[in-house]
Amino acid sequence: KQWYQRRVRGFYKTSLPQLYNAHPDTPLKFTLVNTRFPSIEFNTGHVILDMPLTLSLVTDTDSDILDLEMQMTVQGSVSRNNNVITGTVSSAAHTTTVKSSQIGNIDIAQLSGVL
């Protein structure tokens, strides 16, 4: 567990330094919630799943640090053979918007590397 905590802290130290500088030794909680039901589009030969998400990052005392709004779209194909359903993902894309931040300005390009 300590190895994992050190590795996560080291990851944020370089990838999202504002977070590391503001909370270097604070246990953090991530919450990922879909904000409405996902939409699914079945088309000839492929499926498109569109899902809006909110990602919240809080301290162990529930103090807000960062709230992100994400829109995720996954495209792929589904097949059925002998009552077994299989699928493959051909593309995945997301957009991210910072809703609130207690650690200063966040560059969306930084977040793309983290997410």
Side-chain angles (χ1 to χ4, degrees):
K1 184 176 178 180
Q2 288 178 341
W3 170 84
Y4 176 75
Q5 288 173 338
R6 281 194 308 271
R7 185 164 177 140
V8 167
R9 281 196 295 265
F11 174 75
Y12 285 116
K13 186 175 185 177
T14 57
S15 61
L16 198 56
Q18 301 95 314
L19 176 60
Y20 181 82
N21 292 337
H23 302 280
D25 295 316
T26 305
L28 303 174
K29 295 189 287 187
F30 293 85
T31 305
L32 188 63
V33 177
N34 60 323
T35 54
R36 67 166 167 76
F37 290 112
S39 65
I40 301 174
E41 177 184 325
F42 294 94
N43 214 334
T44 305
H46 67 274
V47 177
I48 299 172
L49 172 65
D50 186 43
M51 185 170 20
L53 304 166
T54 297
L55 175 66
S56 299
L57 177 60
V58 298
T59 65
D60 58 343
T61 59
D62 291 330
S63 298
D64 287 334
I65 298 173
L66 186 63
D67 280 320
L68 305 175
E69 189 172 271
M70 298 170 55
Q71 184 72 33
M72 182 181 301
T73 303
V74 178
Q75 193 168 359
S77 61
V78 177
S79 61
R80 181 181 60 89
N81 187 10
N82 296 328
N83 295 326
V84 176
I85 297 174
T86 59
T88 58
V89 174
S90 57
S91 68
H94 69 85
T95 57
T96 305
T97 305
V98 177
K99 289 174 52 179
S100 69
S101 170
Q102 301 302 315
I103 55 174
N105 292 332
I106 303 292
D107 182 10
I108 295 298
Q110 274 182 300
L111 288 177
S112 294
V114 173
L115 299 174

